[in-house]
């Protein structure tokens, strides 16, 4: 799901306006009644005390009158603030978001060739996907690795804790150059063991290596054949150098992928000097024949842009159906109401003094 904040608003503004109108009406009524009461008092017999006009000029008395009127004004202000805040809370201040649920219906399978020539690129790809998973919400992701045979590291899942752990294991194992290993023993033993454990099961076929078509066909089987509501894509990272006799050629495996309504994207694990070779040309033509995206991975840092393009295109192709999500946000106005009540309590305390 891809949320997009649309701003805050009042869900029932008429209720807020009604509260303000009621406060004004009550205040006007109180002023009118007080005026009538004073008029009645003037009509009644009043006991006047002679020689009291000087009291208005006594500084202490004048100060008391000013303080009393100030407290009256503070009382009116506190009441107004409290009622306005309470009215706003009752009127439901909300934040409106638009959530595009369809963007969370993507299934993505990472299909990685872990033969020796591909390891430096696989490590870069896994790093990018580890960062990408942080923004996933509803997407499912799977990881399948292959050499002469395939191993599913984890099937399609949105358990992102598991995904992050397994991707980190892959990065730790593959983000290195096997040519630097010291197979005679020594400080590299732990790295060799880590690499061997992660790639275990990918060299079961001793008659070949880097069987690209078979690896891709296995990745195509990761998807639920009956689930047609989710967008499907495979990101295949390989150099397309085959050693041995695969069951599926790359074009045959690509046909299988297309027959299952899966989009194939390709990352060629090799430098630009291999561009135009028979292997690279076959790989490019196979991927682009069915509308997939194809990239050269000469610079491992460029993998970030490659994956971004794949995900962006996939998002554009989805038939997104926006859903409006309304979340109550009363905190600010509740604090306003509390401030008004607090002011009333302070004024009441001062009046009693």
């Amino acid at each position: 799901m891809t949320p997009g904040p649309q701003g805050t608003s009042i869900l029932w503004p008429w209720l807020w306006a009604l509260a303000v109108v009621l406060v004004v009406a009550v205040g006007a009524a109180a002023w009118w009644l007080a005026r009538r009461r004073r008029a009645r008092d003037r009509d009644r017999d009043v006991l006047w005390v002679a020689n009291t006009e000087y009291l208005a000029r006594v500084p202490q008395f004048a100060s008391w009158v000013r303080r009393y009127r100030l407290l009256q004004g503070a009382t009116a202000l506190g009441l107004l603030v409290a009622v306005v805040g309470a009215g706003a809370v009752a009127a439901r201040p909300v934040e409106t978001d638009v959530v595009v649920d369809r963007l969370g219906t993507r299934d993505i399978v990472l299909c990685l060739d872990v033969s020796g020539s591909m390891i430096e690129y696989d490590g870069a790809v896994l790093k990018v996907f580890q960062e990408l998973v942080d923004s996933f919400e509803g997407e499912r992701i799977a990881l399948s690795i292959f050499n002469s045979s395939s191993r599913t590291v984890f099937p399609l899942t949105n358990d992102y804790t598991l995904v992050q752990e397994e991707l980190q294991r892959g990065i730790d194992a593959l983000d290195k150059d096997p040519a630097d290993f010291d197979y005679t023993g020594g400080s590299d033993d732990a790295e060799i063991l880590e690499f061997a454990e992660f790639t275990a099961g990918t060299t079961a076929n001793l008659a070949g290596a880097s069987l690209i078509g078979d690896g891709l066909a296995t990745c195509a089987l990761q998807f639920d054949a009956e689930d047609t509501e989710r967008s499907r894509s495979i990101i295949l990272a390989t150099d397309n150098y085959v050693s041995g006799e695969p069951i599926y050629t790359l074009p045959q495996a690509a046909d299988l992928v297309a027959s299952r309504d899966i989009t194939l994207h390709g990352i060629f694990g090799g430098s630009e000097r291999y561009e135009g070779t028979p292997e690279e040309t076959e790989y490019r033509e196979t991927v682009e024949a069915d509308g997939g995206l194809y990239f050269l991975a000469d610079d491992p840092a460029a993998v970030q842009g490659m994956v971004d393009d794949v995900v962006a295109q996939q998002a554009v192709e989805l038939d997104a159906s926006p859903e409006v999500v309304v979340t109550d946000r009363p905190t600010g106005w509740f604090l306003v109401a509390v401030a008004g009540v607090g002011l009333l309590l302070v004024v009441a305390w001062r009046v009693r003094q």
Side-chain angles (χ1 to χ4, degrees):
M1 294 184 292
T2 302
Q6 302 298 303
T8 57
S9 61
I10 299 294
L11 194 62
W12 301 324
W14 59 267
L15 186 58
W16 194 10
L18 178 61
V20 174
V21 169
L22 287 176
V23 171
V24 174
V26 169
W31 174 83
W32 183 73
L33 290 174
R35 185 177 179 183
R36 287 194 60 187
R37 185 169 58 251
R38 287 193 300 268
R40 286 196 304 268
D41 290 341
R42 285 196 300 268
D43 296 336
R44 293 175 181 174
D45 293 334
V46 177
L47 179 62
W48 295 96
V49 179
N51 301 318
T52 58
E53 291 182 359
Y54 75 94
L55 289 176
R57 297 190 296 273
V58 175
Q60 292 83 354
F61 181 79
S63 176
W64 182 89
V65 170
R66 286 195 301 270
R67 184 168 61 252
Y68 181 73
R69 289 175 178 172
L70 180 62
L71 291 175
Q72 282 183 315
T75 300
L77 177 62
L79 180 61
L80 179 63
V81 170
V83 172
V84 168
V89 171
R92 290 189 63 188
V94 297
E95 182 179 79
T96 304
D97 296 339
V98 175
V99 179
V100 184
D101 292 329
R102 292 284 294 171
L103 295 183
T105 60
R106 287 176 289 184
D107 286 346
I108 303 173
V109 173
L110 310 183
C111 195
L112 304 186
D113 179 353
V114 294
S115 59
S117 59
M118 276 298 302
I119 291 176
E120 62 174 309
Y121 302 108
D122 289 337
V125 170
L126 292 179
K127 285 181 180 179
V128 171
F129 272 86
Q130 190 179 49
E131 297 176 2
L132 187 64
V133 167
D134 289 334
S135 64
F136 278 0
E137 193 173 347
E139 288 91 345
R140 298 189 305 188
I141 185 172
L143 174 60
S144 179
I145 59 176
F146 67 90
N147 190 348
S148 64
S149 56
S150 297
R151 179 173 82 88
T152 299
V153 179
F154 53 86
L156 282 169
T157 180
N158 57 6
D159 182 350
Y160 299 134
T161 300
L162 168 68
V163 170
Q164 290 284 20
E165 291 174 353
E166 292 299 325
L167 290 178
Q168 187 59 53
R169 283 188 60 231
I171 292 169
D172 294 340
L174 301 178
D175 195 25
K176 54 176 64 76
D177 186 354
D180 295 336
F181 290 160
D182 179 8
Y183 291 97
T184 62
S187 59
D188 290 330
D189 285 353
E191 290 189 353
I192 295 172
L193 179 61
E194 188 176 44
F195 174 78
E197 287 180 345
F198 188 77
T199 59
T202 63
T203 56
N205 183 358
L206 300 179
S210 194
L211 304 182
I212 314 300
D214 294 351
L216 178 57
T218 301
C219 291
L221 299 178
Q222 295 289 330
F223 299 92
D224 183 352
E226 297 181 357
D227 188 352
T228 59
E229 294 299 319
R230 303 180 67 89
S231 172
R232 306 170 172 186
S233 60
I234 292 175
I235 299 179
L236 173 64
T238 182
D239 53 12
N240 198 31
Y241 282 87
V242 180
S243 177
E245 292 295 329
I247 298 174
Y248 286 89
T249 64
L250 178 60
Q252 289 172 339
D255 290 340
L256 174 64
V257 168
S259 70
R260 296 174 67 87
D261 197 24
I262 303 168
T263 301
L264 174 63
H265 305 291
I267 298 176
F268 179 73
S271 63
E272 290 183 355
R273 66 176 178 272
Y274 294 106
E275 188 175 3
T277 61
E279 293 81 7
E280 190 275 332
T281 300
E282 179 191 44
Y283 189 16
R284 178 191 296 273
E285 291 176 351
T286 300
V287 170
E288 293 180 346
D290 292 319
L293 299 176
Y294 179 84
F295 309 97
L296 292 174
D298 187 34
D299 178 7
V303 175
Q304 174 71 63
M306 299 173 188
V307 176
D308 287 346
D309 284 347
V310 170
V311 174
Q313 186 192 64
Q314 194 71 21
V316 170
E317 289 175 351
L318 290 176
D319 182 17
S321 55
E323 177 186 356
V324 177
V325 177
V326 178
T327 306
D328 287 279
R329 292 286 185 261
T331 305
W333 288 109
F334 176 75
L335 294 177
V336 170
V338 170
V341 173
L343 180 58
L344 287 174
L345 292 176
V346 171
V347 171
W349 171 71
R350 291 293 298 172
V351 168
R352 291 188 63 181
Q353 285 186 332

